[in-house]
Amino acid sequence: MRRGYIQVYTGNGKGKTTAALGLALRAAGAGLRVFIAQFVKQRRCSEHKALERFSDLITIRRCGKGFLRGKSPVKPDFESAEKGYREAKDIIASGQYDVVILDEINVALHYGLLDIEDLLRVMENKPAGLELVLTGRYADERIIAKADLVTEMKDIKHYSVSGVKARTGIEC
Ligand code: ATP
Ligand code: MG
């Protein structure tokens, strides 16, 4: 069995979720099984529609109640994150998937929706062959220290500052 590593995509620039989805596509092309849990975000985005075509290899779950962006989280935010995290942990332990992507988990941790110590233990004890991918702004230093690969998307320019809203097929 080949070894799997822990990857982190963080930073303020665009491309973290896109990178993880690109990895899922590549993995499925190689016949690997992929599980994706999307924390915080609630919307059903175009990737969900696209990934339906790969449902034999890629499973994607939404476990968010919407962007927080400075707001204090409320009970449904916590419950939804915990439920998604429990399922993701079972999936990781089951050994049935080759790649597990926890999209926006860094944001969920940043807002205190999940226990970082628990995730650090999951990172420590993950099945040797599993590739674990964690995305989202505000990656904690302890997560960065435990990961094998960390890429920071640096915001140099973003059209959102000129008022461009998230576009279907490009951002959502
Ligand atoms: P994408 O999903 O496009 O790969 P992302 O995962 O890197 O982006 P998030 O931090 O999850 O970005 O941000 C959520 C939304 O905000 C996305 O629609 C994304 O395109 C947009 N976004 C990303 N970076 C910026 C930025 N620097 N300024 C404003 N909006 C951004
Ligand atoms: Mg994202």
Side-chain angles (χ1 to χ4, degrees):
M1 187 181 60
R2 69 176 178 190
R3 186 177 159 191
Y5 293 91
I6 300 178
Q7 306 191 13
V8 173
Y9 295 96
T10 192
N12 294 330
K14 175 175 165 70
K16 302 170 290 290
T17 298
T18 312
L21 292 170
L23 190 67
L25 182 73
R26 182 178 282 161
L32 301 180
R33 297 199 58 196
V34 182
F35 180 85
I36 307 171
Q38 292 193 316
F39 292 88
V40 184
K41 288 190 277 218
Q42 182 170 38
R43 253 175 97 174
R44 185 170 185 274
C45 294
S46 307
E47 59 257 36
H48 293 261
K49 292 181 195 164
L51 292 179
E52 278 169 10
R53 299 180 182 214
F54 299 93
S55 58
D56 53 333
L57 289 168
I58 306 178
T59 304
I60 184 162
R61 290 263 195 281
R62 283 179 293 156
C63 44
K65 285 280 171 239
F67 286 115
L68 293 156
R69 294 200 173 120
K71 282 185 291 182
S72 295
V74 291
K75 204 169 167 210
D77 297 309
F78 288 96
E79 286 173 352
S80 189
E82 275 158 24
K83 186 161 172 275
Y85 183 66
R86 271 200 304 278
E87 184 185 7
K89 265 186 20 171
D90 288 346
I91 291 278
I92 289 168
S94 77
Q96 283 176 6
Y97 286 82
D98 304 292
V99 179
V100 170
I101 296 169
L102 305 180
D103 188 34
E104 314 298 348
I105 192 153
N106 292 326
V107 180
L109 291 163
H110 177 76
Y111 282 97
L113 301 183
L114 298 171
D115 176 17
I116 185 158
E117 296 299 335
D118 198 285
L119 181 65
L120 292 168
R121 281 195 293 277
V122 169
M123 292 170 79
E124 192 77 44
N125 301 315
K126 77 165 186 64
L130 177 79
E131 194 82 11
L132 180 62
V133 182
L134 311 174
T135 87
R137 293 157 192 240
Y138 323 121
D140 189 280
E141 284 306 321
R142 289 165 287 176
I143 301 244
I144 289 173
K146 265 211 166 22
D148 302 295
L149 176 154
V150 180
T151 297
E152 181 180 5
M153 273 65 179
K154 185 176 186 304
D155 178 26
I156 293 179
K157 234 185 201 188
H158 198 296
Y159 38 63
S160 69
V161 297
S162 340
V164 179
K165 299 277 180 252
R167 292 167 299 158
T168 302
I170 306 294
E171 274 85 33
C172 60

